[in-house]
Amino acid sequence: MSANPVLSAATRPLGPGAIAVTLVLCLSWAFNQIAIKLALPEIPPLLQATFRSLGALPVLLVFARVRGVRMFERDGTLMLGLVAGVLFGLEFVLIYQGLLLTSASRAVVFLYTAPFFVALGSFRFLGERLGPAQWGGLAMSFTGVALAIGIPQANVDGRVLLGDLLVVGGGLLWGVTTVFIKGSRLRFIAPERALGYQVAVSVPIMAAAALIAGERLTQVPSPFVIGLLAYQSIWVVGTTFTIWFALIKAYSASKLSAFTFITPLFGVVASYFILHDALTLAFGLAAVLVIIGLFLVNRPNRAVLAATDPLLNVTKT
């Protein structure tokens, strides 16, 4: 067994169970984008993000209580948690502000540049190495996502491009946060605590951003919108994000992030049934590109395994 826990996780293949759970997370996040868009007419974006984090905190505390996790234990991770929380908060400030300027379809494509940043960060700081086929798989998956969403689009001006850049900045911070947690002591604490730091610190950051932006509620949200916000808070942030950070602790960050390319594809299908968006013939080709790309990313790299796991570093005689 490898003595380095980071390298051990980096070389651990994603089993069927981990893949199935990750796909459920991707499906949930795809519906999350629709929930956000449907709630925007009644709850402005930054206030919506603030309420979402506030609603997720009790869920995390319940999970921690059930699992016996001490959320307020002194273990020297406070400063690390504050850094992760600032990154998390700024990430969503950029994403939600970007959504005001660019379309949802463009935003979802640029947000899912995050796996590239995770792969680069994991390669540079965590000792994870991707072979040429795996890098090609990442590129192929992103090409499939871009094709599925339908970029480039008409009527793109400076305002839209600024929104695109803000969303790319959110994707960058998402990647940075993933690599930071993976490579720091936060990786060894309970996922409820790792996420708790981020959600708690993000609340004042997003609330301040909403105040600066002049956002306010102009009406009492309808039960439908409150339900959408509950979905975001209880399930997406409180539950799926906790599961996500548990997976990050156990498996390769770059390979897990590669699966998030499927989220926009799920989003397109969900938009078709819920928002009645049209599906094009290009979607079939895009899906094939994404699936092939994910297969390439998750192929075992024997050279990397041999270099990082003594059990595989043997010479046949």
Side-chain angles (χ1 to χ4, degrees):
M1 181 179 297
S2 174
N4 189 325
V6 174
L7 291 179
S8 178
T11 59
R12 183 178 301 151
L14 300 181
I19 292 175
V21 170
T22 304
L23 291 178
V24 171
L25 300 186
C26 292
L27 181 61
S28 301
W29 297 336
F31 278 98
N32 183 60
Q33 302 299 320
I34 296 175
I36 292 172
K37 297 298 290 186
L38 290 175
L40 280 178
E42 298 184 30
I43 306 179
L46 294 174
L47 276 179
Q48 192 175 153
T50 304
F51 294 152
R52 186 177 73 166
S53 287
L54 280 172
L57 282 174
V59 179
L60 292 175
L61 292 175
V62 170
F63 281 166
R65 181 63 180 270
V66 170
R67 296 207 320 123
V69 175
R70 297 181 179 180
M71 294 290 283
F72 305 102
E73 181 181 15
R74 293 185 178 181
D75 59 359
T77 62
L78 177 60
M79 291 306 299
L80 295 172
L82 292 177
V83 172
V86 170
L87 292 172
F88 186 84
L90 293 178
E91 170 194 333
F92 283 100
V93 168
L94 292 179
I95 292 171
Y96 278 91
Q97 284 299 101
L99 282 169
L100 293 177
L101 303 175
T102 190
S103 67
S105 59
R106 292 179 67 86
V108 74
V109 170
F110 291 114
L111 176 59
Y112 284 86
T113 57
F116 285 99
F117 299 123
V118 172
L120 291 173
S122 298
F123 172 79
R124 176 64 179 83
F125 299 108
L126 303 183
E128 297 187 17
R129 288 187 285 166
L130 300 178
Q134 293 167 312
W135 282 107
L138 278 172
M140 186 175 294
S141 291
F142 182 78
T143 300
V145 169
L147 181 60
I149 302 300
I151 61 170
Q153 295 180 359
N155 303 321
V156 175
D157 55 17
R159 174 184 171 90
V160 173
L161 291 176
L162 176 59
D164 294 342
L165 290 176
L166 289 174
V167 175
V168 169
L172 170 62
L173 289 178
W174 180 8
V176 170
T177 304
T178 300
V179 175
F180 179 76
I181 291 174
K182 182 78 171 178
S184 71
R185 290 179 60 189
L186 293 175
R187 178 177 176 273
F188 300 102
I189 67 176
E192 293 89 348
R193 291 196 64 206
L195 182 57
Y197 278 131
Q198 297 169 78
V199 172
V201 175
S202 71
V203 171
I205 292 175
M206 293 185 293
L211 181 63
I212 294 172
E215 292 186 359
R216 65 182 186 277
L217 291 177
T218 58
Q219 65 184 76
V220 177
S222 64
F224 174 67
V225 169
I226 292 176
L228 293 173
L229 192 58
Y231 170 78
Q232 297 178 53
S233 300
I234 297 173
W235 174 246
V236 174
V237 178
T239 304
T240 69
F241 283 10
T242 302
I243 297 172
W244 172 251
F245 287 111
L247 289 172
I248 287 176
K249 291 174 61 176
Y251 296 97
S252 163
S254 57
K255 291 183 179 180
L256 279 171
S257 292
F259 267 90
T260 60
F261 278 115
I262 287 182
T263 301
L265 299 180
F266 284 155
V268 170
V269 175
S271 296
Y272 173 78
F273 289 106
I274 298 175
L275 303 177
H276 307 294
D277 291 346
L279 287 178
T280 66
L281 293 176
F283 181 81
L285 175 60
V288 172
L289 288 175
V290 171
I291 292 172
I292 294 175
L294 292 175
F295 171 77
L296 292 175
V297 168
N298 284 279
R299 287 184 63 188
N301 190 325
R302 293 290 300 183
V304 173
L305 292 176
T308 55
D309 193 334
L311 293 178
L312 295 178
N313 192 15
V314 295
T315 302
K316 291 184 178 180
T317 57

